[in-house]
Amino acid sequence: MLKKRKTEVYALGQHISMSAHKARRVIDQIRGRSYEETLMILELMPYRACYPIFKLVYSAAANASYNLGSNEANLVISKAEVNEGTTVRKLKPRARGRSYPIKRPTCHITIVVKDISLDEFIEKDYLTWLKKPKWKNKYTDMTYYDMYSSEGIWDKK
């Protein structure tokens, strides 16, 4: 039985005090990009959400180099998702004895990094499958008449 080699590692940040909607705006820009390109994008974007995401991407790369022994040049952000966390609620005192609720949203961010040098799909069989033309018709050696002659539609008697 063949053992599959693990090619993905992740970093998880929980209870980050930020709206999930604002974090998704940044995450959508880095999903599917290489590690080095992601770091450049996150350093230059003007959003507050970039710093915790930068730390998570850096942590996921450190996990990949420690656990898989992979090089940072081969890393790709394969999956990045943001989920809503708990909402911290406080009451702010207002005039005439009233109170006003303050909601502090949090989010959970998951960054999954994949090493493309360890990827199992880049094998000889896969490369030969890519080179095969997919447009080729399976009835190229037969004519239209030959296909339906066995059913008796085109038979002339």
Side-chain angles (χ1 to χ4, degrees):
M1 191 155 127
L2 294 172
K3 273 191 172 181
K4 290 186 178 179
R5 189 164 178 196
K6 192 174 180 183
T7 61
E8 290 184 343
V9 292
Y10 68 95
L12 180 65
Q14 290 187 325
H15 304 291
I16 296 171
S17 61
M18 179 186 321
S19 165
H21 181 72
K22 292 177 184 176
R24 276 191 201 108
R25 179 172 53 184
V26 177
I27 286 287
D28 289 340
Q29 299 295 320
I30 67 167
R31 191 177 290 123
R33 297 187 188 261
S34 68
Y35 169 71
E36 294 163 347
E37 187 181 0
T38 300
L39 292 184
M40 285 192 299
I41 289 172
L42 289 174
E43 284 177 358
L44 297 174
M45 284 180 89
Y47 302 119
R48 185 178 143 240
C50 291
Y51 184 66
I53 293 172
F54 178 85
K55 284 172 50 173
L56 280 172
V57 169
Y58 196 77
S59 173
N63 291 345
S65 65
Y66 182 75
N67 294 336
L68 302 178
S70 61
N71 190 6
E72 292 176 350
N74 298 328
L75 296 178
V76 173
I77 310 295
S78 64
K79 191 163 92 170
E81 61 182 26
V82 180
N83 297 322
E84 289 186 9
T86 57
T87 302
V88 178
R89 293 184 177 163
K90 302 183 209 173
L91 292 176
K92 183 168 177 89
R94 302 299 285 182
R96 301 173 72 187
R98 297 181 184 172
S99 62
Y100 183 76
I102 296 175
K103 296 176 187 171
R104 192 78 195 268
T106 62
C107 65
H108 307 312
I109 302 174
T110 307
I111 305 286
V112 180
V113 175
K114 186 175 194 175
D115 190 352
I116 56 173
S117 66
L118 300 176
D119 201 7
E120 298 174 56
F121 292 111
I122 304 176
E123 291 179 358
K124 193 174 188 180
D125 298 334
Y126 181 68
L127 292 175
T128 56
W129 179 78
L130 279 178
K131 291 177 184 174
K132 275 192 213 171
K134 293 172 184 60
W135 51 267
K136 203 167 190 179
N137 191 359
K138 58 183 175 181
Y139 298 113
T140 53
D141 57 340
M142 297 167 126
T143 61
Y144 191 73
Y145 176 76
D146 292 335
M147 288 188 337
Y148 290 104
S149 64
S150 63
E151 297 177 355
I153 299 172
W154 301 100
D155 291 340
K156 295 179 182 177
K157 292 186 181 181

PDB file of all heavy atoms in Angstrom, residues 6-12 56-70 75-80 110-115 118:
ATOM      1  N   LYS A   6       2.417  14.077   2.701  1.00  0.00           N
ATOM      2  CA  LYS A   6       1.656  15.276   3.021  1.00  0.00           C
ATOM      3  C   LYS A   6       2.293  16.477   2.335  1.00  0.00           C
ATOM      4  O   LYS A   6       3.503  16.686   2.423  1.00  0.00           O
ATOM      5  CB  LYS A   6       1.656  15.467   4.538  1.00  0.00           C
ATOM      6  CG  LYS A   6       0.698  16.487   5.026  1.00  0.00           C
ATOM      7  CD  LYS A   6       0.679  16.478   6.533  1.00  0.00           C
ATOM      8  CE  LYS A   6      -0.285  17.499   7.038  1.00  0.00           C
ATOM      9  NZ  LYS A   6      -0.292  17.576   8.487  1.00  0.00           N
ATOM     10  N   THR A   7       1.491  17.274   1.637  1.00  0.00           N
ATOM     11  CA  THR A   7       2.023  18.418   0.907  1.00  0.00           C
ATOM     12  C   THR A   7       1.461  19.739   1.415  1.00  0.00           C
ATOM     13  O   THR A   7       1.879  20.782   0.932  1.00  0.00           O
ATOM     14  CB  THR A   7       1.698  18.303  -0.591  1.00  0.00           C
ATOM     15  OG1 THR A   7       0.286  18.278  -0.755  1.00  0.00           O
ATOM     16  CG2 THR A   7       2.314  17.083  -1.195  1.00  0.00           C
ATOM     17  N   GLU A   8       0.528  19.718   2.351  1.00  0.00           N
ATOM     18  CA  GLU A   8      -0.111  20.944   2.823  1.00  0.00           C
ATOM     19  C   GLU A   8       0.076  21.109   4.330  1.00  0.00           C
ATOM     20  O   GLU A   8       0.001  20.141   5.078  1.00  0.00           O
ATOM     21  CB  GLU A   8      -1.607  20.937   2.521  1.00  0.00           C
ATOM     22  CG  GLU A   8      -1.942  21.076   1.071  1.00  0.00           C
ATOM     23  CD  GLU A   8      -3.442  21.155   0.853  1.00  0.00           C
ATOM     24  OE1 GLU A   8      -4.214  20.802   1.748  1.00  0.00           O
ATOM     25  OE2 GLU A   8      -3.814  21.578  -0.241  1.00  0.00           O
ATOM     26  N   VAL A   9       0.318  22.325   4.740  1.00  0.00           N
ATOM     27  CA  VAL A   9       0.340  22.696   6.163  1.00  0.00           C
ATOM     28  C   VAL A   9      -0.501  23.955   6.319  1.00  0.00           C
ATOM     29  O   VAL A   9      -0.782  24.643   5.334  1.00  0.00           O
ATOM     30  CB  VAL A   9       1.769  22.933   6.693  1.00  0.00           C
ATOM     31  CG1 VAL A   9       2.557  21.663   6.738  1.00  0.00           C
ATOM     32  CG2 VAL A   9       2.475  23.966   5.863  1.00  0.00           C
ATOM     33  N   TYR A  10      -0.907  24.236   7.539  1.00  0.00           N
ATOM     34  CA  TYR A  10      -1.786  25.384   7.741  1.00  0.00           C
ATOM     35  C   TYR A  10      -1.385  26.159   8.983  1.00  0.00           C
ATOM     36  O   TYR A  10      -0.659  25.671   9.844  1.00  0.00           O
ATOM     37  CB  TYR A  10      -3.242  24.947   7.830  1.00  0.00           C
ATOM     38  CG  TYR A  10      -3.588  24.152   9.065  1.00  0.00           C
ATOM     39  CD1 TYR A  10      -4.112  24.770  10.189  1.00  0.00           C
ATOM     40  CD2 TYR A  10      -3.404  22.773   9.112  1.00  0.00           C
ATOM     41  CE1 TYR A  10      -4.434  24.065  11.311  1.00  0.00           C
ATOM     42  CE2 TYR A  10      -3.718  22.052  10.228  1.00  0.00           C
ATOM     43  CZ  TYR A  10      -4.230  22.698  11.329  1.00  0.00           C
ATOM     44  OH  TYR A  10      -4.529  21.982  12.456  1.00  0.00           O
ATOM     45  N   ALA A  11      -1.887  27.380   9.028  1.00  0.00           N
ATOM     46  CA  ALA A  11      -1.756  28.237  10.212  1.00  0.00           C
ATOM     47  C   ALA A  11      -3.141  28.789  10.505  1.00  0.00           C
ATOM     48  O   ALA A  11      -3.861  29.187   9.595  1.00  0.00           O
ATOM     49  CB  ALA A  11      -0.770  29.359   9.970  1.00  0.00           C
ATOM     50  N   LEU A  12      -3.504  28.796  11.768  1.00  0.00           N
ATOM     51  CA  LEU A  12      -4.846  29.185  12.174  1.00  0.00           C
ATOM     52  C   LEU A  12      -4.761  30.321  13.182  1.00  0.00           C
ATOM     53  O   LEU A  12      -4.047  30.222  14.177  1.00  0.00           O
ATOM     54  CB  LEU A  12      -5.552  27.971  12.793  1.00  0.00           C
ATOM     55  CG  LEU A  12      -6.963  28.133  13.290  1.00  0.00           C
ATOM     56  CD1 LEU A  12      -7.894  28.430  12.140  1.00  0.00           C
ATOM     57  CD2 LEU A  12      -7.408  26.879  14.001  1.00  0.00           C
ATOM     58  N   LEU A  56       0.089  35.353   9.786  1.00  0.00           N
ATOM     59  CA  LEU A  56      -0.370  33.975   9.582  1.00  0.00           C
ATOM     60  C   LEU A  56       0.299  33.326   8.374  1.00  0.00           C
ATOM     61  O   LEU A  56       0.647  32.141   8.420  1.00  0.00           O
ATOM     62  CB  LEU A  56      -1.888  33.957   9.397  1.00  0.00           C
ATOM     63  CG  LEU A  56      -2.693  34.033  10.681  1.00  0.00           C
ATOM     64  CD1 LEU A  56      -4.152  34.208  10.359  1.00  0.00           C
ATOM     65  CD2 LEU A  56      -2.483  32.781  11.494  1.00  0.00           C
ATOM     66  N   VAL A  57       0.480  34.066   7.299  1.00  0.00           N
ATOM     67  CA  VAL A  57       1.151  33.526   6.111  1.00  0.00           C
ATOM     68  C   VAL A  57       2.604  33.200   6.451  1.00  0.00           C
ATOM     69  O   VAL A  57       3.128  32.149   6.058  1.00  0.00           O
ATOM     70  CB  VAL A  57       1.062  34.525   4.937  1.00  0.00           C
ATOM     71  CG1 VAL A  57       1.960  34.114   3.797  1.00  0.00           C
ATOM     72  CG2 VAL A  57      -0.365  34.628   4.449  1.00  0.00           C
ATOM     73  N   TYR A  58       3.244  34.073   7.197  1.00  0.00           N
ATOM     74  CA  TYR A  58       4.620  33.844   7.617  1.00  0.00           C
ATOM     75  C   TYR A  58       4.716  32.620   8.522  1.00  0.00           C
ATOM     76  O   TYR A  58       5.643  31.810   8.422  1.00  0.00           O
ATOM     77  CB  TYR A  58       5.136  35.086   8.338  1.00  0.00           C
ATOM     78  CG  TYR A  58       6.615  35.137   8.498  1.00  0.00           C
ATOM     79  CD1 TYR A  58       7.436  35.488   7.436  1.00  0.00           C
ATOM     80  CD2 TYR A  58       7.209  34.839   9.713  1.00  0.00           C
ATOM     81  CE1 TYR A  58       8.804  35.537   7.575  1.00  0.00           C
ATOM     82  CE2 TYR A  58       8.571  34.882   9.874  1.00  0.00           C
ATOM     83  CZ  TYR A  58       9.366  35.239   8.791  1.00  0.00           C
ATOM     84  OH  TYR A  58      10.723  35.272   8.939  1.00  0.00           O
ATOM     85  N   SER A  59       3.736  32.453   9.407  1.00  0.00           N
ATOM     86  CA  SER A  59       3.703  31.299  10.304  1.00  0.00           C
ATOM     87  C   SER A  59       3.452  30.006   9.536  1.00  0.00           C
ATOM     88  O   SER A  59       4.046  28.963   9.839  1.00  0.00           O
ATOM     89  CB  SER A  59       2.615  31.498  11.358  1.00  0.00           C
ATOM     90  OG  SER A  59       2.458  30.349  12.132  1.00  0.00           O
ATOM     91  N   ALA A  60       2.569  30.047   8.530  1.00  0.00           N
ATOM     92  CA  ALA A  60       2.309  28.852   7.725  1.00  0.00           C
ATOM     93  C   ALA A  60       3.548  28.452   6.943  1.00  0.00           C
ATOM     94  O   ALA A  60       3.827  27.250   6.785  1.00  0.00           O
ATOM     95  CB  ALA A  60       1.143  29.109   6.776  1.00  0.00           C
ATOM     96  N   ALA A  61       4.320  29.418   6.459  1.00  0.00           N
ATOM     97  CA  ALA A  61       5.564  29.107   5.752  1.00  0.00           C
ATOM     98  C   ALA A  61       6.599  28.506   6.696  1.00  0.00           C
ATOM     99  O   ALA A  61       7.349  27.600   6.325  1.00  0.00           O
ATOM    100  CB  ALA A  61       6.108  30.355   5.086  1.00  0.00           C
ATOM    101  N   ALA A  62       6.638  29.007   7.932  1.00  0.00           N
ATOM    102  CA  ALA A  62       7.553  28.444   8.924  1.00  0.00           C
ATOM    103  C   ALA A  62       7.150  27.011   9.274  1.00  0.00           C
ATOM    104  O   ALA A  62       8.009  26.142   9.449  1.00  0.00           O
ATOM    105  CB  ALA A  62       7.570  29.314  10.174  1.00  0.00           C
ATOM    106  N   ASN A  63       5.844  26.754   9.362  1.00  0.00           N
ATOM    107  CA  ASN A  63       5.370  25.398   9.605  1.00  0.00           C
ATOM    108  C   ASN A  63       5.755  24.471   8.453  1.00  0.00           C
ATOM    109  O   ASN A  63       6.110  23.310   8.666  1.00  0.00           O
ATOM    110  CB  ASN A  63       3.850  25.382   9.774  1.00  0.00           C
ATOM    111  CG  ASN A  63       3.408  26.036  11.045  1.00  0.00           C
ATOM    112  OD1 ASN A  63       4.197  26.261  11.947  1.00  0.00           O
ATOM    113  ND2 ASN A  63       2.136  26.371  11.121  1.00  0.00           N
ATOM    114  N   ALA A  64       5.662  24.971   7.224  1.00  0.00           N
ATOM    115  CA  ALA A  64       5.997  24.152   6.059  1.00  0.00           C
ATOM    116  C   ALA A  64       7.484  23.836   6.020  1.00  0.00           C
ATOM    117  O   ALA A  64       7.875  22.711   5.694  1.00  0.00           O
ATOM    118  CB  ALA A  64       5.577  24.866   4.777  1.00  0.00           C
ATOM    119  N   SER A  65       8.322  24.804   6.359  1.00  0.00           N
ATOM    120  CA  SER A  65       9.759  24.537   6.320  1.00  0.00           C
ATOM    121  C   SER A  65      10.181  23.615   7.462  1.00  0.00           C
ATOM    122  O   SER A  65      11.093  22.812   7.295  1.00  0.00           O
ATOM    123  CB  SER A  65      10.542  25.842   6.367  1.00  0.00           C
ATOM    124  OG  SER A  65      10.332  26.480   7.605  1.00  0.00           O
ATOM    125  N   TYR A  66       9.493  23.698   8.590  1.00  0.00           N
ATOM    126  CA  TYR A  66       9.853  22.840   9.726  1.00  0.00           C
ATOM    127  C   TYR A  66       9.286  21.429   9.562  1.00  0.00           C
ATOM    128  O   TYR A  66       9.982  20.444   9.753  1.00  0.00           O
ATOM    129  CB  TYR A  66       9.343  23.460  11.026  1.00  0.00           C
ATOM    130  CG  TYR A  66       9.715  22.667  12.247  1.00  0.00           C
ATOM    131  CD1 TYR A  66      11.009  22.694  12.745  1.00  0.00           C
ATOM    132  CD2 TYR A  66       8.770  21.891  12.906  1.00  0.00           C
ATOM    133  CE1 TYR A  66      11.358  21.955  13.847  1.00  0.00           C
ATOM    134  CE2 TYR A  66       9.114  21.150  14.016  1.00  0.00           C
ATOM    135  CZ  TYR A  66      10.408  21.185  14.482  1.00  0.00           C
ATOM    136  OH  TYR A  66      10.747  20.451  15.589  1.00  0.00           O
ATOM    137  N   ASN A  67       8.004  21.316   9.194  1.00  0.00           N
ATOM    138  CA  ASN A  67       7.357  20.008   9.129  1.00  0.00           C
ATOM    139  C   ASN A  67       7.662  19.253   7.840  1.00  0.00           C
ATOM    140  O   ASN A  67       7.823  18.034   7.859  1.00  0.00           O
ATOM    141  CB  ASN A  67       5.843  20.160   9.273  1.00  0.00           C
ATOM    142  CG  ASN A  67       5.454  20.666  10.642  1.00  0.00           C
ATOM    143  OD1 ASN A  67       6.189  20.495  11.603  1.00  0.00           O
ATOM    144  ND2 ASN A  67       4.330  21.323  10.724  1.00  0.00           N
ATOM    145  N   LEU A  68       7.704  19.963   6.713  1.00  0.00           N
ATOM    146  CA  LEU A  68       7.915  19.302   5.431  1.00  0.00           C
ATOM    147  C   LEU A  68       9.334  19.457   4.913  1.00  0.00           C
ATOM    148  O   LEU A  68       9.729  18.761   3.989  1.00  0.00           O
ATOM    149  CB  LEU A  68       6.945  19.864   4.377  1.00  0.00           C
ATOM    150  CG  LEU A  68       5.458  19.757   4.665  1.00  0.00           C
ATOM    151  CD1 LEU A  68       4.669  20.408   3.554  1.00  0.00           C
ATOM    152  CD2 LEU A  68       5.047  18.309   4.831  1.00  0.00           C
ATOM    153  N   GLY A  69      10.082  20.402   5.462  1.00  0.00           N
ATOM    154  CA  GLY A  69      11.418  20.677   4.962  1.00  0.00           C
ATOM    155  C   GLY A  69      11.402  21.313   3.588  1.00  0.00           C
ATOM    156  O   GLY A  69      12.291  21.085   2.780  1.00  0.00           O
ATOM    157  N   SER A  70      10.392  22.121   3.306  1.00  0.00           N
ATOM    158  CA  SER A  70      10.237  22.690   1.977  1.00  0.00           C
ATOM    159  C   SER A  70      10.873  24.068   1.888  1.00  0.00           C
ATOM    160  O   SER A  70      11.071  24.750   2.887  1.00  0.00           O
ATOM    161  CB  SER A  70       8.757  22.775   1.610  1.00  0.00           C
ATOM    162  OG  SER A  70       8.092  23.602   2.513  1.00  0.00           O
ATOM    163  N   LEU A  75       6.319  27.409  -2.282  1.00  0.00           N
ATOM    164  CA  LEU A  75       5.057  27.448  -1.545  1.00  0.00           C
ATOM    165  C   LEU A  75       4.014  28.283  -2.276  1.00  0.00           C
ATOM    166  O   LEU A  75       4.317  29.324  -2.853  1.00  0.00           O
ATOM    167  CB  LEU A  75       5.278  28.029  -0.149  1.00  0.00           C
ATOM    168  CG  LEU A  75       6.173  27.224   0.779  1.00  0.00           C
ATOM    169  CD1 LEU A  75       6.334  27.932   2.093  1.00  0.00           C
ATOM    170  CD2 LEU A  75       5.629  25.834   0.990  1.00  0.00           C
ATOM    171  N   VAL A  76       2.772  27.789  -2.223  1.00  0.00           N
ATOM    172  CA  VAL A  76       1.626  28.460  -2.831  1.00  0.00           C
ATOM    173  C   VAL A  76       0.502  28.476  -1.805  1.00  0.00           C
ATOM    174  O   VAL A  76       0.289  27.494  -1.092  1.00  0.00           O
ATOM    175  CB  VAL A  76       1.174  27.725  -4.109  1.00  0.00           C
ATOM    176  CG1 VAL A  76      -0.104  28.302  -4.646  1.00  0.00           C
ATOM    177  CG2 VAL A  76       2.248  27.779  -5.164  1.00  0.00           C
ATOM    178  N   ILE A  77      -0.239  29.583  -1.727  1.00  0.00           N
ATOM    179  CA  ILE A  77      -1.398  29.662  -0.831  1.00  0.00           C
ATOM    180  C   ILE A  77      -2.526  28.879  -1.500  1.00  0.00           C
ATOM    181  O   ILE A  77      -3.171  29.353  -2.425  1.00  0.00           O
ATOM    182  CB  ILE A  77      -1.835  31.120  -0.615  1.00  0.00           C
ATOM    183  CG1 ILE A  77      -0.673  32.015  -0.228  1.00  0.00           C
ATOM    184  CG2 ILE A  77      -2.955  31.205   0.417  1.00  0.00           C
ATOM    185  CD1 ILE A  77      -0.043  31.724   1.080  1.00  0.00           C
ATOM    186  N   SER A  78      -2.751  27.656  -1.059  1.00  0.00           N
ATOM    187  CA  SER A  78      -3.754  26.819  -1.720  1.00  0.00           C
ATOM    188  C   SER A  78      -5.163  27.108  -1.222  1.00  0.00           C
ATOM    189  O   SER A  78      -6.119  27.035  -1.983  1.00  0.00           O
ATOM    190  CB  SER A  78      -3.437  25.337  -1.522  1.00  0.00           C
ATOM    191  OG  SER A  78      -3.521  25.006  -0.163  1.00  0.00           O
ATOM    192  N   LYS A  79      -5.291  27.441   0.050  1.00  0.00           N
ATOM    193  CA  LYS A  79      -6.621  27.717   0.594  1.00  0.00           C
ATOM    194  C   LYS A  79      -6.490  28.794   1.662  1.00  0.00           C
ATOM    195  O   LYS A  79      -5.577  28.746   2.481  1.00  0.00           O
ATOM    196  CB  LYS A  79      -7.208  26.440   1.188  1.00  0.00           C
ATOM    197  CG  LYS A  79      -8.672  26.527   1.543  1.00  0.00           C
ATOM    198  CD  LYS A  79      -9.276  25.153   1.726  1.00  0.00           C
ATOM    199  CE  LYS A  79      -9.207  24.717   3.156  1.00  0.00           C
ATOM    200  NZ  LYS A  79      -9.963  23.509   3.452  1.00  0.00           N
ATOM    201  N   ALA A  80      -7.385  29.752   1.630  1.00  0.00           N
ATOM    202  CA  ALA A  80      -7.411  30.812   2.639  1.00  0.00           C
ATOM    203  C   ALA A  80      -8.867  31.133   2.911  1.00  0.00           C
ATOM    204  O   ALA A  80      -9.619  31.430   1.993  1.00  0.00           O
ATOM    205  CB  ALA A  80      -6.663  32.044   2.143  1.00  0.00           C
ATOM    206  N   THR A 110      -7.866  31.053   8.481  1.00  0.00           N
ATOM    207  CA  THR A 110      -7.097  29.842   8.201  1.00  0.00           C
ATOM    208  C   THR A 110      -6.347  30.035   6.896  1.00  0.00           C
ATOM    209  O   THR A 110      -6.953  30.354   5.875  1.00  0.00           O
ATOM    210  CB  THR A 110      -8.020  28.621   8.088  1.00  0.00           C
ATOM    211  OG1 THR A 110      -8.829  28.537   9.249  1.00  0.00           O
ATOM    212  CG2 THR A 110      -7.215  27.345   7.933  1.00  0.00           C
ATOM    213  N   ILE A 111      -5.043  29.826   6.926  1.00  0.00           N
ATOM    214  CA  ILE A 111      -4.190  29.901   5.741  1.00  0.00           C
ATOM    215  C   ILE A 111      -3.586  28.520   5.519  1.00  0.00           C
ATOM    216  O   ILE A 111      -2.898  27.997   6.399  1.00  0.00           O
ATOM    217  CB  ILE A 111      -3.054  30.936   5.913  1.00  0.00           C
ATOM    218  CG1 ILE A 111      -3.594  32.305   6.285  1.00  0.00           C
ATOM    219  CG2 ILE A 111      -2.190  30.996   4.662  1.00  0.00           C
ATOM    220  CD1 ILE A 111      -4.254  33.052   5.183  1.00  0.00           C
ATOM    221  N   VAL A 112      -3.836  27.918   4.355  1.00  0.00           N
ATOM    222  CA  VAL A 112      -3.271  26.618   4.006  1.00  0.00           C
ATOM    223  C   VAL A 112      -2.246  26.830   2.902  1.00  0.00           C
ATOM    224  O   VAL A 112      -2.538  27.436   1.877  1.00  0.00           O
ATOM    225  CB  VAL A 112      -4.362  25.639   3.538  1.00  0.00           C
ATOM    226  CG1 VAL A 112      -3.752  24.301   3.172  1.00  0.00           C
ATOM    227  CG2 VAL A 112      -5.415  25.460   4.601  1.00  0.00           C
ATOM    228  N   VAL A 113      -1.028  26.344   3.153  1.00  0.00           N
ATOM    229  CA  VAL A 113       0.077  26.509   2.222  1.00  0.00           C
ATOM    230  C   VAL A 113       0.432  25.147   1.646  1.00  0.00           C
ATOM    231  O   VAL A 113       0.506  24.159   2.384  1.00  0.00           O
ATOM    232  CB  VAL A 113       1.295  27.128   2.943  1.00  0.00           C
ATOM    233  CG1 VAL A 113       2.483  27.191   2.035  1.00  0.00           C
ATOM    234  CG2 VAL A 113       0.960  28.492   3.452  1.00  0.00           C
ATOM    235  N   LYS A 114       0.642  25.107   0.329  1.00  0.00           N
ATOM    236  CA  LYS A 114       0.944  23.850  -0.351  1.00  0.00           C
ATOM    237  C   LYS A 114       2.320  23.936  -0.998  1.00  0.00           C
ATOM    238  O   LYS A 114       2.673  24.961  -1.583  1.00  0.00           O
ATOM    239  CB  LYS A 114      -0.113  23.603  -1.426  1.00  0.00           C
ATOM    240  CG  LYS A 114      -0.017  22.287  -2.107  1.00  0.00           C
ATOM    241  CD  LYS A 114      -1.184  22.136  -3.054  1.00  0.00           C
ATOM    242  CE  LYS A 114      -1.319  20.723  -3.508  1.00  0.00           C
ATOM    243  NZ  LYS A 114      -2.494  20.527  -4.335  1.00  0.00           N
ATOM    244  N   ASP A 115       3.083  22.857  -0.889  1.00  0.00           N
ATOM    245  CA  ASP A 115       4.400  22.794  -1.528  1.00  0.00           C
ATOM    246  C   ASP A 115       4.229  22.132  -2.885  1.00  0.00           C
ATOM    247  O   ASP A 115       3.873  20.955  -2.972  1.00  0.00           O
ATOM    248  CB  ASP A 115       5.366  21.997  -0.657  1.00  0.00           C
ATOM    249  CG  ASP A 115       6.788  22.104  -1.144  1.00  0.00           C
ATOM    250  OD1 ASP A 115       6.998  22.663  -2.235  1.00  0.00           O
ATOM    251  OD2 ASP A 115       7.688  21.632  -0.438  1.00  0.00           O
ATOM    252  N   LEU A 118       6.433  18.953  -3.910  1.00  0.00           N
ATOM    253  CA  LEU A 118       6.065  17.641  -3.374  1.00  0.00           C
ATOM    254  C   LEU A 118       4.756  17.129  -3.946  1.00  0.00           C
ATOM    255  O   LEU A 118       4.291  16.071  -3.546  1.00  0.00           O
ATOM    256  CB  LEU A 118       5.931  17.710  -1.850  1.00  0.00           C
ATOM    257  CG  LEU A 118       7.170  18.137  -1.078  1.00  0.00           C
ATOM    258  CD1 LEU A 118       6.838  18.256   0.388  1.00  0.00           C
ATOM    259  CD2 LEU A 118       8.291  17.153  -1.302  1.00  0.00           C
TER     260      LEU A 118
END
